[in-house]
Amino acid sequence: MDELELEIKILIVDALGLEDIEPEEIDSNERLFVEGLGLDSIDALELGMEIQKKYGVKINSETENVKEHFASVANLAKFISSAKGA
């Protein structure tokens, strides 16, 4: 498993207090919102703040790509990597 993807999964579980799921149980390509993991808009805000804090990337909720960036762990990893210039 990609190290950044695992970090993001741990961040999701910890930041959102998902007590009934282990980070390793989250599929990197699984949808995070509505279907899949079933997160909601409040979860999105919390997750966005934690990602900004941990990785120092700016997330502009005005851009159309935000929904796509937050669609899955794999998409978040690509977004964070590109935002950090990695």
Side-chain angles (χ1 to χ4, degrees), residues 6 9 14-15 28 32 35 44 48 57 64:
L6 180 58
K9 291 174 185 183
D14 290 348
S28 293
L32 294 177
E35 72 271 358
V57 297
E64 217 169 280

Side-chain angles (χ1 to χ4, degrees), residues 35-53:
E35 72 271 358
L37 202 54
L39 303 182
D40 61 23
S41 59
I42 302 295
D43 296 326
L45 289 172
E46 289 181 40
L47 184 56
M49 289 188 315
E50 290 300 318
I51 287 172
Q52 289 182 75
K53 202 181 328 179

Side-chain angles (χ1 to χ4, degrees), residues 18-33:
L18 304 179
E19 298 172 3
D20 58 341
I21 190 166
E22 293 295 321
E24 297 80 12
E25 295 174 9
I26 301 171
D27 183 319
S28 293
N29 295 304
E30 177 180 21
R31 304 299 285 178
L32 294 177
F33 296 91

Side-chain angles (χ1 to χ4, degrees), residues 49-67:
M49 289 188 315
E50 290 300 318
I51 287 172
Q52 289 182 75
K53 202 181 328 179
K54 180 170 178 119
Y55 298 104
V57 297
K58 280 279 190 203
I59 300 170
N60 183 354
S61 60
E62 304 292 314
T63 62
E64 217 169 280
N65 295 355
V66 170
K67 281 187 179 180

